[in-house]
Amino acid sequence: MDEFSQQDEQALILRAQSDPQAFRPLYHYYHPRIFAYVAYRVGTAEDAEDITAEVFMRAVSGLTGFTYRGEGAFSAWLFQIAHNEVRRHYGRRQKDSAALSLDDLPEIESDSPPVDQQVQRKEQFAALRDLIERLSPRQQEIVTLKFFGELRNREIAAVLSLDERTVAAHLSRALNELQRLYSLESALSSAPHRKEHGPYEPES
Amino acid sequence: MSQNHNHEQHEMDWLDAHIRRRQRTGEHLVDALIATRPRGDRLRARQLEERLIAQLEQQQTTSERQTPMQDTRFFPGENRLLPLRQPMRLPLTLVATAALAFLGIALLSPFLRPPSDDGSASGLMQQNQAASPTFVPTASATPLPTLVPPESPMGASLMAYAQTEVPIYAAASADSQVLGVLNAGDLVEAFGTDVTGQWLAVLWQGQIVGWVSVPSVELLNRQTFANQAPDPLMMTATATPIPVTARPAFVWPSEAMPSATTSQAVTVYALPDDTSEALGTLEADAPVVYIGRDQTGEWAVIRWQDDIVGWVLAEALIFAEISQPPVIASLVPTVIPPTAPPPVGTATPIP
């Protein structure tokens, strides 16, 4: 879905506060982003579905109290709710480091690829998620908000209560570390004893 | 420096554009991240959408049914309506009216109905109270949590009584945001003053902490009516106002010794709800003064520099061990004048 202009988004939010139907385009735009972010954070499709639903239910109940304060304010508000819900999820349940089965993993966004490619992409998702989990908690948050929440640094800063420059610095270090881990995994996966879940190689 | 910043910003914009358009960058890692974006189940997404629209419609219907004067209060400068917990609104004229009504009922009751089972005056008071619509609690659309103060007597000892309309500010300054207005007759819990003694922190509607100007309210000591009949009418009628000259000059407990620190960067909200307005943020290890929790225990109300009071997730606080009671404990009980005259309209039952 195309990105909203600032004016469009503000108008939709104001309308949605009195006309429920105006919430639909906002939902269509933000649901995939919230789901992708939550799924990368929690790993399983079922948990991601439940948490995403809770995030939107809470957002809808608080929508009339939301005050638009400029570009990015709504996405930062929404992702802050999501961030808190993920945190609550981990508070309720100790992080499970056991490997997830393919059935537990969420589907990967694509334009109807063959079934075998879907499986491959799920494995790639799991492998990349393993790499991200080796980062510091702060870096994990920033990378997932950036790539799956599709937030700008300014919005990430608002969600995590950080300075925008601090976010940029964390992101830069996180990508460098990920790159290092990724190269290491690539080297290992090209060795004779290849690991089952190798790093993802994008299709050419 | 500026050139570096511009370069970084340019790189970020470039990355953001590729992520949002799902375009390949040529960098394997970044492209892999972009290409493994999870998606939710479409059917569940559609079902959720309909649930959300239904919830919004229900909220709108509920909101339209409520008249603003009954159940909601408009916050000036804010595009929102919040559910209103009925405050203990006790205008003196009403107290006087109630007293007269009580007198009338007491005189006529032998002719109108049999005496109550225990024959006590409280039975008469309860009936009188039930007859007055002012004291019937109005059901709020969403029940709001009630603040549970910490074990210290702070927050439990004093109440502020508004004799006129009194604005409630977000901070101890008339330049700060107006959160709402106390109406004449509103009675709210008071926590303490700022260091100047000019601003009083109060709890309003059970969960909103704000500041009122000290001269604009009467301070009442709850101790004086703790053993009285437990209905609000009686409480106000026998409560003793604290004269201006004897007002306690207390400050927040542990002004120099914060009672908690933040374990991580946290957002401070206006209400115990992360969909409410964010007042600001606190870095990790920020010293704060802990005031209390909501009933769920999930949210804590805190105060930090610049006298800003708000709510944070309680799990983000690390509590310091306090070996002695807060300073306020020794100050509050000493300010009650023993000969203060009773207010007009005393509703003391007739023997």
Side-chain angles (χ1 to χ4, degrees):
Chain A
M1 179 161 194
D2 290 339
E3 198 171 343
F4 295 121
S5 72
Q6 183 185 344
Q7 290 78 11
D8 288 348
E9 182 170 88
Q10 184 175 11
L12 278 172
I13 293 164
L14 279 174
R15 264 187 56 205
Q17 288 173 335
S18 56
D19 172 13
Q21 296 301 325
F23 186 73
R24 288 189 192 276
L26 291 167
Y27 175 80
H28 293 162
Y29 181 59
Y30 281 106
H31 180 272
R33 294 169 58 182
I34 291 286
F35 181 86
Y37 159 72
V38 171
Y40 241 93
R41 296 291 292 138
V42 301
T44 70
E46 194 58 36
D47 285 343
E49 294 283 3
D50 290 346
I51 293 171
T52 302
E54 182 63 24
V55 169
F56 276 99
M57 294 302 279
R58 291 174 59 75
V60 158
S61 67
L63 190 65
T64 50
F66 175 77
T67 308
Y68 193 85
R69 295 192 192 283
E71 189 177 5
F74 186 71
S75 57
W77 177 73
L78 201 55
F79 275 91
Q80 201 157 43
I81 298 171
H83 168 68
N84 288 338
E85 280 304 317
V86 169
R87 204 158 60 170
R88 283 191 187 99
H89 170 79
Y90 281 125
R92 285 191 296 266
R93 201 167 98 178
Q94 282 298 320
K95 207 169 183 177
D96 187 3
S97 58
L100 301 168
S101 79
L102 275 182
D103 289 341
D104 293 332
L105 300 178
E107 300 297 320
I108 303 301
E109 198 176 83
S110 65
D111 299 325
S112 306
V115 174
D116 59 334
Q117 273 193 32
Q118 263 294 337
V119 172
Q120 188 190 4
R121 287 194 176 186
K122 278 192 173 189
E123 291 174 342
Q124 289 152 356
F125 163 83
L128 281 170
R129 193 169 169 275
D130 282 348
L131 293 186
I132 290 174
E133 284 205 316
R134 293 188 218 171
L135 302 174
S136 72
R138 177 68 78 214
Q139 290 174 342
Q140 289 180 36
E141 278 287 3
I142 290 173
V143 167
T144 47
L145 284 168
K146 168 64 80 178
F147 283 92
F148 309 107
E150 300 180 11
L151 296 187
R152 295 190 170 87
N153 286 6
R154 186 178 60 249
E155 296 164 320
I156 296 173
V159 172
L160 300 179
S161 309
L162 294 173
D163 176 68
E164 189 177 342
R165 298 297 297 270
T166 308
V167 170
H170 274 299
L171 182 64
S172 173
R173 280 198 292 270
L175 288 177
N176 285 340
E177 177 62 8
L178 265 184
Q179 187 62 60
R180 189 185 71 77
L181 295 169
Y182 188 74
S183 302
L184 196 63
E185 287 288 310
S186 296
L188 286 173
S189 62
S190 58
H193 298 291
R194 185 188 167 100
K195 281 186 67 178
E196 194 179 342
H197 298 304
Y200 175 65
E201 289 294 333
E203 296 157 31
S204 54
Chain B
M1 179 75 181
S2 173
Q3 275 185 341
N4 279 346
H5 178 67
N6 288 340
H7 178 67
E8 284 171 12
Q9 189 60 49
H10 178 73
E11 279 199 343
M12 282 301 159
D13 290 345
W14 173 84
L15 181 58
D16 287 339
H18 278 77
I19 291 172
R20 292 192 177 203
R21 292 175 196 153
R22 318 278 191 275
Q23 286 177 341
R24 297 186 58 188
T25 63
E27 293 181 20
H28 277 188
L29 170 68
V30 172
D31 290 347
L33 289 169
I34 291 174
T36 54
R37 185 187 154 88
R39 70 165 171 81
D41 181 81
R42 292 195 176 96
L43 177 62
R44 287 181 71 163
R46 275 199 297 274
Q47 288 170 341
L48 175 61
E49 181 181 358
E50 296 312 319
R51 269 176 65 198
L52 295 171
I53 298 299
Q55 184 179 328
L56 274 169
E57 284 169 348
Q58 189 181 356
Q59 283 173 201
Q60 199 182 356
T61 308
T62 308
S63 159
E64 282 168 1
R65 276 189 196 149
Q66 293 171 339
T67 61
M69 292 303 288
Q70 273 185 323
D71 289 337
T72 55
R73 178 164 291 182
F74 183 68
F75 282 65
E78 298 264 339
N79 183 21
R80 61 176 177 171
L81 285 169
L82 288 186
L84 172 68
R85 168 174 288 192
Q86 186 79 0
M88 286 188 283
R89 185 176 300 173
L90 304 161
L92 289 178
T93 50
L94 186 63
V95 172
T97 308
L100 289 172
F102 169 78
L103 182 62
I105 289 173
L107 292 173
L108 294 173
S109 57
F111 306 101
L112 298 176
R113 61 169 179 79
S116 59
D117 291 342
D118 59 0
S120 67
S122 63
L124 294 175
M125 281 303 296
Q126 282 164 7
Q127 185 177 357
N128 181 32
Q129 185 181 334
S132 169
T134 308
F135 297 105
V136 177
T138 308
S140 174
T142 321
L144 302 179
T146 305
L147 182 76
V148 180
E151 287 184 1
S152 84
M154 182 193 75
S157 295
L158 284 177
M159 303 199 83
Y161 179 71
Q163 289 187 319
T164 59
E165 285 197 349
V166 177
I168 303 173
Y169 295 95
S173 162
D175 295 331
S176 67
Q177 184 191 0
V178 176
L179 299 176
V181 178
L182 286 180
N183 290 323
D186 281 358
L187 190 63
V188 291
E189 281 192 57
F191 290 116
T193 62
D194 67 344
V195 287
T196 69
Q198 293 301 304
W199 291 90
L200 181 75
V202 297
L203 178 69
W204 181 52
Q205 296 184 14
Q207 63 172 4
I208 299 168
V209 182
W211 297 87
V212 297
S213 163
V214 167
S216 66
V217 292
E218 282 295 333
L219 283 176
L220 305 175
N221 192 303
R222 190 181 272 182
Q223 301 293 331
T224 58
F225 48 81
N227 297 322
Q228 304 286 335
D231 72 82
L233 182 63
M234 292 293 286
M235 283 165 59
T236 299
T238 57
T240 309
I242 298 171
V244 175
T245 52
R247 277 184 180 157
F250 61 80
V251 295
W252 288 88
S254 317
E255 187 65 37
M257 185 181 65
S259 56
T261 53
T262 51
S263 61
Q264 55 191 284
V266 289
T267 304
V268 184
Y269 296 95
L271 300 173
D273 177 354
D274 53 16
T275 65
S276 70
E277 182 187 358
L279 299 178
T281 57
L282 289 172
E283 291 295 323
D285 299 322
V288 297
V289 175
Y290 170 67
I291 297 173
R293 289 181 186 235
D294 70 347
Q295 281 177 324
T296 68
E298 188 181 14
W299 292 89
V301 62
I302 53 112
R303 171 206 167 241
W304 81 104
Q305 61 178 357
D306 301 323
D307 292 328
I308 298 170
V309 180
W311 295 86
V312 296
L313 284 169
E315 66 177 20
L317 294 182
I318 301 170
F319 294 96
E321 284 186 21
I322 300 174
S323 56
Q324 55 189 15
V327 177
I328 193 169
S330 61
L331 292 174
V332 175
T334 63
V335 295
I336 310 302
T339 57
V344 179
T346 300
T348 307
I350 295 169

